[in-house]
């Protein structure tokens, strides 16, 4: 059953245009993106959104993610989502000329973003001593599964593996005790966010001191850092997940509730919210002082009883009715949106968190916006997600000074 959150006939906002003249806060920062898939590309895209000049390097034929599903107009959606505001070139680092070009681009860069397995950058001729000799101020942001050290450093990791190892899948288990995967790449997105903030901190440090440095980002570390109290609580007093599905283990009522036409999530677990619910919604003031429900501790001990009371009220109302009533009294609540409804949420479109534009081929695309808004230098949308090697000649000529004949020689030699 679909829960309609907005009128699907509402027209989308106008197409966002790509303005290469726009300048953001990082407009004079050069970023060399040597990464693939999600965490690294998203970090580099964040810097590009903030105005940095980002050059994405792919092997001839393109990175592996260009072949992944889902696709739109024959192009991988993941590549679209994580690679806007970049100029793309192809380069063969195994070719001597290609490797020389890579070293020159590393000299140009203020920030290098890479997510190879530890040691790969060294094999490409971009080891730490070489980089410091030719570009002492460069910042290298290395994103890997487990980090650059530790007993697991050489193991492969995908987001799903981080979820399994971190305890997140166990935390997500329901009453059936079955561990559950979170399907939005929380480890990769957390790593991208941490890598972006670390790169900005390193740039600030460089601005003050002139020093470069290496930033070591582990996907597993970033996911664990996002889990809150779970691991420390287990170490401190042996706490384990209660496997109660959507129920908040520390507040009640805070859970998914049946409405007449679907589900709503209500969080009325604090004393003030529960008091409002009893007085203004249920009109049963005696429940506020009832010993079963007169404190957070009491309510969590009697969760089943309090949820039965709430369900008795929600089950006879539509999700929209529940949402509107609770909004009026200031209690957090939302209908549970199907993805199709969430994609058309007016709040998201009004803040450009979802926007539409045209890609390089003129096909319409839908992308996710940058979640921070600035009153000063704004987020910029300068380059559509690039096609494979779209800017190779431009970069070789404008940044490295190659003429047409030189570029032709590089192509003939298989360097680019």
């Amino acid at each position: 059953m679909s829960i309609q959150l907005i009128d699907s006939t509402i027209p989308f906002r106008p197409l966002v245009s790509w303005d290469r003249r726009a300048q953001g806060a990082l407009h004079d920062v050069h970023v060399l993106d040597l990464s693939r898939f999600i965490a690294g590309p998203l970090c580099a895209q964040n810097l590009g959104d903030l105005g940095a000049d980002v050059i994405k390097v792919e092997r001839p034929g393109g990175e592996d993610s260009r072949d992944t599903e889902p696709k739109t107009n024959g192009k991988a959606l993941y590549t679209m989502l994580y690679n806007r505001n970049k100029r793309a070139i192809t380069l063969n680092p195994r070719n001597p000329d290609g490797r020389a070009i890579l070293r020159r681009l590393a000299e140009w860069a203020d920030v290098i973003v890479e997510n190879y397995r530890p040691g790969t950058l060294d094999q490409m001729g971009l080891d730490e001593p070489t980089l410091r000799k030719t570009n002492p101020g460069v910042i290298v942001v290395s994103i890997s599964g487990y980090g650059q050290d530790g007993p697991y450093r050489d193991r492969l990791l995908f987001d799903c593996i981080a979820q399994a190892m971190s305890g997140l899948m166990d935390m997500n288990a329901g009453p059936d005790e079955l561990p559950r995967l979170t399907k939005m790449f929380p480890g990769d997105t957390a790593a991208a966010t941490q890598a972006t903030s670390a790169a900005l901190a390193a740039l600030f440090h460089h601005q003050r001191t002139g020093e470069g440095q290496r930033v070591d980002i582990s996907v597993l570390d970033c996911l664990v850092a996002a889990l809150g109290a779970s691991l420390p609580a287990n170490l401190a007093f042996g706490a384990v997940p209660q496997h109660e599905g959507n129920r908040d283990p520390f507040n009640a009522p805070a859970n998914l509730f049946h409405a007449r036409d679907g589900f709503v999530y209500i969080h009325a677990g604090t004393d003030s919210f529960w008091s409002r619910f009893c007085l203004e919604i249920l009109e049963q003031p005696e429940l506020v002082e009832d010993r079963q429900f007169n404190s957070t501790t009491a309510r969590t001990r009697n969760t089943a009883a309090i949820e039965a009371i709430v369900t008795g009220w929600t089950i006879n109302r539509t999700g929209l009715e529940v949402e509107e009533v609770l909004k009026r009294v200031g209690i957090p609540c939302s209908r549970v949106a199907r993805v199709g409804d969430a994609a058309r949420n007016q709040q998201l479109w009004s803040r450009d968190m979802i926007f539409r534009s045209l890609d390089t081929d003129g096909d319409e695309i839908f992308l996710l916006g940058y979640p921070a808004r600035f009153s000063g230098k704004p987020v910029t949308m300068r380059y559509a997600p690039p096609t494979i090697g779209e800017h190779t000649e431009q970069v070789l000529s404008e940044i490295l000074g190659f003429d047409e004949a030189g570029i032709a020689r590089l192509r003939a030699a298989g360097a680019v």
Side-chain angles (χ1 to χ4, degrees):
M1 179 182 297
S2 178
I3 304 170
Q4 193 69 31
L5 288 187
I6 69 167
D7 182 354
S8 61
T9 64
I10 293 175
F12 295 125
R13 298 184 77 184
L15 290 168
V16 170
S17 60
W18 306 99
D19 182 3
R20 297 185 180 182
R21 298 167 299 176
Q23 290 191 345
L26 301 182
H27 72 274
D28 56 349
V29 173
H30 300 158
V31 177
L32 182 62
D33 180 12
L34 304 180
S35 62
R36 304 146 298 153
F37 293 105
I38 297 176
L42 180 53
C43 169
Q45 176 175 281
N46 288 341
L47 297 174
D49 285 354
L50 296 173
D53 184 7
V54 182
I55 295 177
K56 177 181 179 64
V57 177
E58 300 177 75
R59 68 171 186 265
E63 65 166 273
D64 291 340
S65 69
R66 289 190 181 270
D67 293 325
T68 59
E69 297 290 343
K71 293 184 177 181
T72 175
N73 296 309
K75 289 160 277 194
L77 186 56
Y78 285 130
T79 307
M80 294 285 185
L81 285 175
Y82 305 122
N83 288 289
R84 66 167 175 258
N85 281 329
K86 301 178 185 181
R87 294 189 284 172
I89 72 169
T90 55
L91 193 64
N92 181 3
R94 297 181 179 178
N95 179 286
D97 291 330
R99 184 167 295 194
I101 292 172
L102 184 61
R103 285 196 296 268
R104 291 181 62 185
L105 288 173
E107 294 175 17
W108 165 87
D110 299 302
V111 179
I112 298 173
V113 178
E114 62 97 5
N115 62 352
Y116 297 114
R117 294 176 69 178
T120 303
L121 209 62
D122 296 352
Q123 298 170 12
M124 297 170 66
L126 298 180
D127 55 278
E128 191 72 11
T130 299
L131 284 172
R132 295 296 156 213
K133 182 178 179 180
T134 58
N135 188 356
V138 71
I139 296 158
V140 181
V141 179
S142 294
I143 306 171
S144 60
Y146 301 98
Q148 301 298 308
D149 54 22
Y152 291 5
R153 71 182 291 269
D154 294 321
R155 290 174 59 170
L156 289 173
L157 180 139
F158 288 110
D159 189 283
C160 53
I161 305 303
Q163 291 189 51
M165 187 175 293
S166 67
L168 178 58
M169 289 179 67
D170 179 40
M171 291 168 60
N172 282 341
D176 58 6
E177 301 290 321
L178 180 67
R180 284 176 170 80
L181 186 74
T182 300
K183 296 185 178 180
M184 45 72 70
F185 305 108
D188 285 333
T189 52
T193 300
Q194 294 284 7
T196 303
S197 62
L200 294 174
L203 283 167
F204 182 64
H205 177 77
H206 176 267
Q207 185 181 53
R208 291 188 301 167
T209 67
E211 296 175 353
Q213 60 184 298
R214 187 171 192 174
V215 178
D216 177 3
I217 298 289
S218 156
V219 173
L220 178 64
D221 291 353
C222 294
L223 186 54
V224 167
L227 296 185
S230 300
L231 273 61
N234 177 269
L235 294 170
F237 46 87
V240 295
Q242 296 304 302
H243 296 163
E244 295 179 311
N246 297 302
R247 178 183 290 163
D248 186 326
F250 303 112
N251 292 276
N255 201 352
L256 194 69
F257 294 93
H258 277 279
R260 198 167 66 207
D261 59 348
F263 294 94
V264 292
Y265 200 98
I266 298 173
H267 195 305
T270 67
D271 288 341
S272 61
F273 288 156
W274 175 240
S275 177
R276 288 182 213 171
F277 196 89
C278 295
L279 298 175
E280 301 187 47
I281 305 298
L282 300 177
E283 297 182 347
Q284 298 183 51
E286 68 277 8
L287 292 178
V288 178
E289 303 301 329
D290 190 309
R291 288 187 177 183
Q292 293 184 89
F293 312 127
N294 64 359
S295 69
T296 301
T297 301
R299 289 192 295 277
T300 54
R301 287 175 179 167
N302 296 281
T303 301
I306 202 170
E307 288 181 350
I309 293 171
V310 176
T311 300
W313 180 79
T314 62
I315 195 65
N316 296 314
R317 292 165 174 80
T318 66
L320 179 60
E321 290 171 337
V322 172
E323 193 176 276
E324 289 296 323
V325 171
L326 294 186
K327 179 178 68 174
R328 175 173 54 80
V329 300
I331 293 175
C333 172
S334 175
R335 286 164 286 169
V336 178
R338 296 294 179 94
V339 168
D341 295 315
R344 292 163 178 80
N345 187 301
Q346 295 180 67
Q347 176 68 17
L348 299 177
W349 280 88
S350 71
R351 290 180 59 82
D352 292 323
M353 268 313 299
I354 305 175
F355 67 92
R356 65 190 185 113
S357 188
L358 300 178
D359 66 14
T360 300
D361 297 322
D363 294 322
E364 186 176 70
I365 53 175
F366 293 89
L367 299 175
L368 299 177
Y370 191 82
R373 303 181 76 176
F374 299 85
S375 61
K377 284 288 187 180
V379 167
T380 59
M381 293 298 161
R382 292 166 291 120
Y383 291 95
T387 57
I388 299 171
E390 179 180 340
H391 305 96
T392 300
E393 292 189 7
Q394 180 188 99
V395 169
L396 290 175
S397 62
E398 290 183 6
I399 295 177
L400 302 183
F402 284 93
D403 57 20
E404 290 185 7
I407 294 172
R409 286 194 296 272
L410 290 172
R411 289 196 182 281
V416 298

